[in-house]
Amino acid sequence: VIRKITDRDLELSETFYAKYRSGDFLDRHSDSVHYRHIAFTLHFTEDWRAAYGGLLVMLERDWQGIKRVIVPTFGTFSFFDVTRERFDSPHFVTEVADSIAPNERIALTGWFQKRGDGGAFTMKFVG
């Protein structure tokens, strides 16, 4: 599927499973690393609302303006190009609201690299 969408020969290089609890967030950053091409997030939390926080916020290339806000609804698969020469894709995850989120924000996140460019596939658990 990724090859059809991107027209690139990519392979999964790294993933991590993340749980965001009340008060958790992910500060502004870019996933642009020399071997990464496509970043993705697959959301597993049911009945999530924007008011709970934990929103994926995509920033403009200048790291200031907001390009898009993604509510992590169940089954949402988001992916974006992180190849430095094509896009610098700064983003962050907003703080999960204290006391109103009924459960944790759970997601599988990872990266695709050009086939044969890197080392062995790795998977991590965070949270």
Side-chain angles (χ1 to χ4, degrees), residues 46-104:
E46 294 185 13
D47 302 320
W48 197 264
R49 296 182 181 166
Y52 302 154
L55 308 176
L56 175 59
V57 179
M58 306 300 298
L59 299 170
E60 297 289 345
R61 292 183 76 176
D62 64 4
W63 293 67
Q64 301 302 313
I66 295 175
K67 187 187 307 186
R68 178 176 297 127
V69 177
I70 299 167
V71 178
T73 54
F74 181 79
T76 301
F77 180 73
S78 306
F79 64 98
F80 48 98
D81 195 325
V82 295
T83 311
R84 189 174 300 275
E85 60 270 5
R86 300 184 108 208
F87 298 101
D88 188 15
S89 300
H91 55 282
F92 65 95
V93 175
T94 64
E95 183 176 343
V96 173
D98 190 28
S99 303
I100 67 167
N103 44 30
E104 301 163 331

Side-chain angles (χ1 to χ4, degrees), residues 1-11 37-38 79 81 86 113-115:
V1 172
I2 293 296
R3 184 178 188 151
K4 281 187 171 188
I5 294 169
T6 65
D7 197 30
R8 291 186 244 172
D9 189 18
L10 303 174
E11 64 186 359
H37 284 255
I38 301 291
F79 64 98
D81 195 325
R86 300 184 108 208
Q113 67 187 17
K114 187 175 176 184
R115 190 170 303 283

Side-chain angles (χ1 to χ4, degrees), residues 12-17 40 108-111 121-124:
L12 189 61
S13 63
E14 187 177 351
T15 63
F16 68 91
Y17 174 82
F40 72 88
L108 178 68
T109 297
W111 299 272
F121 169 78
T122 60
M123 182 165 189
K124 301 174 186 170

